[in-house]
Amino acid sequence: MLTAPATPEKTTVLGACPHDCPDTCALVTTVQDGIAVKLQGNPNHPHTAGVLCTKVSRYIERTEHAERLTTPLRRSGPKGSGQFTPVTWDVALDAIAARLKVVKHPETILPYSYAGTMGLVQGESMDRRFFNKLGASQLDRTICSTAGAEALSFTLGGKVGMRVEFFAESKLILIWGSNSIGSNLHFWRHAQAARRNGARLVCIDPRKTETADKCDEHIALLPGTDAALALALMHELIVHDWLDHDYIDKHTLGWDRLRERALQWPPSRAAQVCGVPEAQIVALAQAYGTTLPAAIRMNYGMQRVRGGGNAARAIACLPALTGAWRHRAGGVLLSSSGLYPIDRAALQRPDLLAGRTPRTINMTTIGDALNDTVRPVDVLIVYNSNPVAIAPDSSKVVAGFAREDLFTVVMEQFQTDTADYADYVLPATTQLEHWDIHTSYGHTDVLLNRPAIAPRGEARSNAWVFRELARRMGFTEPCFSDDDETICRQAFAAGVIDFDELEAQGFTTLRLPDAPYAEGNFPTPSGRCEFFSARLAAMGQDGLPDHVPNYEPAGSSPDYPLAMISPPARNFLNSSFVNVRSLRAIEGEPLLEIHADDAAARGIDDGAIVRVFNARGEYRCRAEVSRRARAGVVHGLGIWWRKLGLDGTNVNQLTSQRLTDIGRGPTFYDCLVQVERDGGPSAAS
Ligand SMILES: Nc1nc2c(c(=O)[nH]1)N[C@H]1C(S)=C(S)[C@@H](COP(=O)(O)OP(=O)(O)OC[C@H]3O[C@@H](n4cnc5c(=O)[nH]c(N)nc54)[C@H](O)[C@@H]3O)O[C@H]1N2
Ligand SMILES: Nc1nc2c(c(=O)[nH]1)N[C@H]1C(S)=C(S)[C@@H](COP(=O)(O)OP(=O)(O)OC[C@H]3O[C@@H](n4cnc5c(=O)[nH]c(N)nc54)[C@H](O)[C@@H]3O)O[C@H]1N2
Ligand code: SF4
Ligand SMILES: [Mo]
């Protein structure tokens, strides 16, 4: 008689997508025999609706990748050579602790981390406690969103806005500086639902993205000209009196002054600056002024230029002018993260600084910081980020990382460009292997992530590493013994969220009003939408939003006549997933999209290898003559691993370390270049 083989039991484990994406999806992992066999979106979570993006549906491939780091490594060759020898955890951690103990001053130690995981446990708790106790330099985490975020805070009072689900009820949606289909897929579902109900969708983006293709209209403005467009819209709202005077009187501040400013921006002037037809601006203003409810989905793509803060402020003023906030399907959303009452003091323990006020280093200018000989960084501990690939002005960044006297620790899942420069590489767990708790910047739920499988090899969670280092440093505060699950419970004060519900279903929803600013009540000092910001004026800045031209405006330089933007590739998440073969196969290779006229003027055929260069550096890649590019603007889609690029570089070889007007943020999309045909193979594809 044949006996059926015992079928090992399948279990499902609830989790959360850890990536830096507004959607923060709920995950369900199916585990059999200790192996993750399936990963799906949680169908019970309304925002996820059972759907994951292509990238994260390959998360098991990423977790089980043959090149996962599985043991600690010690450098055995020159810096950057990527030569390492495996060592035990004890050897690695003892050596790192020994180095930390002999620093001349704790400020010479710098943590460098961003949102490789957005989890509060693995991203902003035990690590922060550890560095606070040390008194290490503080990191100003500006690399993505601070221009827009601080602009929003000056205007609306915080990273607050519409509830994303109500976009489905809007009648006009402006998708402003965002490729929703690529980077905010679950918002796009709501936009489509709105469209089925008759809404008009307008995409405002220099690039004709896949989102622009699917909208009713595309306004292909030049990079860094969004404030001019927003001011011209205000101009039209004023001259046609498409204003909600009652809302303006009761719930805004500085109307007279803003009115005067906006009247300086007739559509003809904005059309010149933005490089778009005047009629398009006039029509957009009419639609925005006469359609209720109208909603704006801004994203961070429009604030990576010199005037990014002012632009975000100008746009954030619009819904108060028309009273769009009165309706739950009206207003603006850039980020919802300010709506969460996270107990950061409990997670990060700033009290461990014990009165010390260490210097702050801006992560955007890490290139300059690592080359500063007056106030040097001697020890660098990198986790949840890949700065050698993603920070601007790579030649400076690489020179800094290559310093023989810099002691660098990189905690990573993979041997990234940054890990190549480490003295010690520590293998990190993935989201399937550790605990975490997540908020979102695109919806308003809290998610819990339970480990589904055991860590690969000797990989350990970030929190584990910092606990172990704390022990070796002799830190005895009880908070250094909190385990990862305990930290999940510390993220919110008692009673703020329903933790039982969170445990049972993997997510729980914040209790929030449907239309939070229908009656004003903005979290600004005045309680009003602050067109004029006394706080900005007190800092010596313009109290009103204005158009602040790019450092490198399109058309301003005969040597570098093309504006280059470098938005994300759809199948990568910043530099994550670039090493996942099935996704890289979709993206192909690093590309520069260029308009047919700009290509023809340079004798560049589709598929030719081109040299893209400016005073900061040069980068070679394949050109794609593309209908997605407007004349005068090229797109270097990011963010490739340098070592996979033609000359071991990527687009950040060309970007600058100059900062935004508000928020000290990067200006990745404020970058002039020249492009020329390279001697290399042409039209090979
Ligand atoms: N697939 C995918 N999803 C992602 C990411 C990714 O790398 N890949 N990145 C994640 C991260 S880190 C973030 S911060 C979020 C948000 O990420 P965002 O950076 O907002 O990403 P996108 O939605 O691609 O929006 C950028 C869009 O802005 C456009 N743009 C560039 N310059 C300007 C300008 O001056 N004005 C205007 N109006 N538009 C401009 C670009 O062409 C691009 O289409 O997305 C996240 N989601
Ligand atoms: N030219 C150009 N440059 C850009 C941008 C652009 O649009 N154009 N976008 C910018 C933006 S918006 C952002 S947000 C930044 C993003 O830059 P980064 O924050 O550096 O993001 P990633 O490149 O995804 O790198 C995250 C790394 O964290 C690792 N990681 C993930 N989870 C864990 C974990 O649990 N533990 C540890 N130790 N490591 C983990 C991943 O393996 C990955 O290598 O890039 C910026 N750079
Ligand atoms: S990257 Fe974004 S869309 Fe993709 S699974 Fe994660 S949260 Fe969802
Ligand atoms: Mo970002």
Side-chain angles (χ1 to χ4, degrees), residues 360-380:
T360 297
I361 290 180
N362 188 338
M363 71 188 302
T364 298
T365 48
I366 186 68
D368 282 346
L370 292 182
N371 290 292
D372 185 340
T373 48
V374 181
R375 304 189 68 201
V377 174
D378 294 335
V379 176
L380 182 64

Side-chain angles (χ1 to χ4, degrees), residues 460-517:
R460 293 291 177 269
S461 78
N462 294 344
W464 181 89
V465 173
F466 288 109
R467 267 193 301 271
E468 286 294 315
L469 285 174
R471 194 164 60 78
R472 284 172 172 78
M473 297 302 288
F475 299 167
T476 52
E477 286 81 356
C479 71
F480 289 110
S481 311
D482 292 340
D483 64 24
D484 290 15
E485 191 182 343
T486 303
I487 302 171
C488 290
R489 292 179 180 275
Q490 295 167 343
F492 293 93
V496 170
I497 58 163
D498 186 339
F499 210 92
D500 293 337
E501 185 178 75
L502 180 63
E503 284 197 293
Q505 62 179 21
F507 62 91
T508 186
T509 300
L510 291 182
R511 291 174 282 265
L512 294 166
D514 282 1
Y517 313 115

